Structures are given as structure tokens and as C-alpha cells.
Amino acid sequence: MTKRFGSLVALDDVSLTLEPGAFHALLGENGAGKSTLVKCVIGYYTPDRGAVVLGNVGRAIRGPRDAHALGIGMVYQHFTLVPSMTVAENLSVARSDLRMVIDWAAEHRRMRDFIKDMPFKVDLTAPVSGLAAGEKQKVEILKQLYLDCRILILDEPTSVLTPGEADEILGLLREMTRAGRLSVLMITHKLREVVAFADEVTVLRRGQVAGRGRMETLAAQDLAAMMIGGTEITAPAQRIGQATGQVRLRLDGLCVENDKGHTAVKNVSLEVHAGEIVGIAGVSGNGQTDLVEVLAGQRERSAGTITVHGEPYSATSATPVCRG
Ligand SMILES: Nc1ncnc2c1ncn2[C@@H]1O[C@H](COP(=O)(O)OP(=O)(O)OP(=O)(O)O)[C@@H](O)[C@H]1O
Ligand SMILES: [Mg+2]
């Protein structure tokens, strides 16, 4: 596949083979071309060159409908379910052959038979709005399976999940691949997930294949080296400037809970000196938003202290304290 956006070559002659029953991970840094590749496969983009070959036959995929008809489905990072509908209603409305008048009795029978046979268990009658993120992602996957997908493409499916939820879902998917019922192509940034669940990996870097292989022969460091293009990672990062100013902001053992009451930030301590820029890095969903919300007075901390200019800081959104 080759795909250009103006003068940018987002994909440069990329080839990838997904074996039957494989759990294949697609890795790469931000902007490497991972989403562009799978969007070309699903028919969301038209590649400038290249093709999707299924079982030795080249296929014209002009849109997600064509992909579905060939048994290829996609699960996105963010949910696409209708929150006000139940799980069963969400599964039904996704069908392309849905009639104008729905025979709910028949539909429910069909669904019960379908779910009996699935490792993913969810309450069909539950409204989606009340489900936890992990359950919603299960419904997204079930929806694709209900549409008879045998090739499932997932674009960072665990970024909004806790590690426990992610492990459960990826474990169930692997069960299905091992049983030969499904082939999975999963985009992720999390090396841990690749090492724990994938059979094979393809690594993209700046639109090109930077490496590939079977996971038995690769360790997390090998994957990281392919992603960034070096042979060795020089960690930990060095401090390049020396902050000599006073401590302006200090966090001590800060703990924060998210909206669901789960621990989002656990025991974080750091200092920001005058004239210093401190970066906080983390894959989306690791508590950085909750941390900033506490600093902005939009969320309460559950433990720890914050000091600004040496004084205790306890802003609320109604009375934010703004002192430099
Ligand atoms: N619709 C578009 N128009 C123009 N440029 C685009 C478009 N979509 C993607 N790009 C560019 O193509 C490159 C590859 O983007 P892509 O989204 O495929 O990366 P990615 O590997 O999925 O990254 P991330 O991990 O951040 O999701 C990037 O430089 C991006 O800015
Ligand atoms: Mg992407």
C-alpha cells in the first residue's frame, strides 16, 4: 500500500500478511502510518497504490460496507455505540440488512443463539450508557462478530481501558484466534500488550515497514528499537537544563480518583522550579488529564499535598488560585 496526503507519503509501499488465526500487532510511533494503513484496508481511504488480497484474490474495497461483506470489521479507539440504546439494540441497528420494521422476538432469538457461542458475555438488555469502558469495548467487538467478521482490525482498542480490562479483552480475543475463529490485526502503543498477546508483529516507521517477526523471537527492547530506529535506547532521559530557581510547585504523594472512582493518579511527587519546563508523558488514559484537573481545581485529590510558592494549594473551580 502507498498512500499520499499532498506531499506527505503517509504509507510507502507497505506490505503485511495476516495469517489465519493470527493475533498480529501493528506497532509504530505517533504518525508512523498505522491508522492510515488500516483505513486503506477497510476502504475508508483509497490507496494510491496497492491492494487487499484475501485468500489469493485481490479485492476492491470501496468502503467499510465492502469490507464488512468480506468479513473484515474494525473497532476504533473511541466508542461508536449509541449510549441511549441497549446492547441488543446496538447490535441490531449495526446490521446492514436491517428491515424498516424490526421483528424483535426473532432478533432476540438470533442474538441469544449468537451470544451463547461467544466468549464475551454482556447483558443484552443493559443500556450502553451504564456500562463501564471495558464492557463497552466488549460490545464493540461483539457487534463486529455479530456482523460475521472473521478478520477484526482494532485501532488502539485498549487506550481507554484499565490494564485489567485490557487484559481480559485481549485474552478473550486470543482465545478466539487460537480456536481459529478469528484473525486479529491490532494497533497499539503498548509493548506490554504486544509481548503478552501477539503472535506476530509488524513495525512501521515514517510510513515504511521498519521490522516484523514472530513474537517468540522478539523482546520488548527489539520492538522499541524498531519503532524509534536505533539499535539501543538510551534511557533514562538526561536532565538537560539545571533548574536553579526556587520550587514553585510541589506535589507530594498525590492520589486522584477518576469519575468512576478508580485510582487514576497514585502517589505522584514532583517539583517544578522557577524557569523550568517539566513534561508529563504517558499513553492516553494513564491519569495525566486527572492530574491536570486537580491542578486546575476541577477535581479533588484523594490524598497527598500540593504546594504553590511553599503554601498549601487548595483551589476549586469556583475559586481557582492563580499565582504564577
Ligand atoms: N487525512 C489526512 N490528511 C493529511 N495527513 C494525514 C491524514 N491522515 C493522516 N495524515 C498524516 O499521515 C501520517 C500518518 O498518520 P497516521 O494517523 O496513519 O499515524 P498513526 O501511526 O496512526 O499515529 P498515531 O499513533 O498517532 O495514531 C501523519 O504524518 C499524519 O499527520
Ligand atoms: Mg493512529
Side-chain angles (χ1 to χ4, degrees):
M1 292 272 182
T2 296
K3 176 72 186 168
R4 292 190 192 86
F5 295 109
S7 60
L8 176 87
V9 185
L11 284 181
D12 186 5
D13 196 18
V14 169
S15 299
L16 181 154
T17 304
L18 179 64
E19 302 287 345
F23 196 125
H24 195 121
L26 182 57
L27 260 181
E29 286 193 296
N30 290 117
K34 306 178 297 292
S35 295
T36 304
L37 179 63
V38 298
K39 283 176 181 168
C40 285
V41 173
I42 202 87
Y44 185 84
Y45 289 149
T46 310
D48 295 302
R49 253 196 36 221
V52 176
V53 179
L54 264 179
N56 289 332
V57 184
R59 312 285 181 159
I61 300 180
R62 287 170 301 258
R65 280 247 158 124
D66 287 351
H68 260 152
L70 294 167
I72 308 175
M74 176 106 174
V75 171
Y76 298 87
Q77 174 174 6
H78 297 290
F79 301 120
T80 62
L81 303 169
V82 185
S84 57
M85 290 188 181
T86 64
V87 172
E89 286 163 351
N90 266 282
L91 295 187
S92 290
V93 296
R95 281 173 54 181
S96 57
D97 58 348
L98 194 69
R99 301 271 167 87
M100 292 296 279
V101 177
I102 303 172
D103 177 353
W104 279 109
E107 198 69 29
H108 275 125
R109 263 198 310 280
R110 189 187 139 122
M111 232 172 270
R112 274 197 302 273
D113 286 345
F114 159 78
I115 214 133
K116 237 190 283 165
D117 201 31
M118 286 287 143
F120 294 84
K121 299 288 174 229
V122 286
D123 176 4
L124 287 169
T125 62
V128 163
S129 56
L131 299 180
E135 299 296 303
K136 283 186 193 153
Q137 200 58 300
K138 281 188 201 167
V139 179
E140 293 280 3
I141 292 170
L142 273 177
K143 188 169 91 180
Q144 297 304 323
L145 298 171
Y146 191 58
L147 298 174
D148 263 340
C149 289
R150 292 292 166 261
I151 297 175
L152 195 57
I153 302 174
L154 304 108
D155 195 348
E156 299 191 42
T158 64
S159 58
V160 290
L161 307 185
T162 64
E165 289 173 328
D167 283 355
E168 186 195 354
I169 286 180
L170 298 181
L172 292 171
L173 281 176
R174 190 172 59 180
E175 230 174 79
M176 292 191 75
T177 59
R178 291 266 155 94
R181 298 172 69 185
L182 196 64
S183 308
V184 167
L185 177 62
M186 178 178 78
I187 296 178
T188 179
H189 279 119
K190 300 177 186 167
L191 297 183
R192 185 190 72 81
E193 293 178 352
V194 180
V195 171
F197 296 100
D199 306 310
E200 301 169 339
V201 63
T202 298
V203 182
L204 292 185
R205 189 169 71 242
R206 293 193 201 122
Q208 297 182 331
V209 175
R212 63 171 103 243
R214 292 203 51 88
M215 282 310 296
E216 301 92 81
T217 62
L218 294 165
Q221 300 95 291
D222 304 321
L223 301 176
M226 287 179 196
M227 281 169 73
I228 63 164
T231 47
E232 208 177 287
I233 311 230
T234 48
Q238 296 288 313
R239 197 184 187 108
I240 51 169
Q242 196 58 49
T244 51
Q246 295 169 332
V247 176
R248 292 279 199 240
L249 172 69
R250 184 199 302 273
L251 311 183
D252 257 316
L254 189 71
C255 297
V256 183
E257 287 180 0
N258 62 18
D259 292 339
K260 293 238 159 7
H262 298 141
T263 303
V265 175
K266 190 172 168 188
N267 261 334
V268 168
S269 302
L270 60 86
E271 288 180 348
V272 182
H273 295 80
E276 189 179 40
I277 296 174
V278 175
I280 295 181
V283 173
S284 165
N286 275 279
Q288 52 273 61
T289 308
D290 309 274
L291 174 63
V292 170
E293 283 174 357
V294 168
L295 295 179
Q298 292 173 352
R299 183 177 288 282
E300 285 185 28
R301 58 181 179 267
S302 50
T305 57
I306 304 174
T307 31
V308 175
H309 296 279
E311 286 175 33
Y313 171 85
S314 54
T316 65
S317 54
T319 55
V321 181
C322 186
R323 287 174 296 166

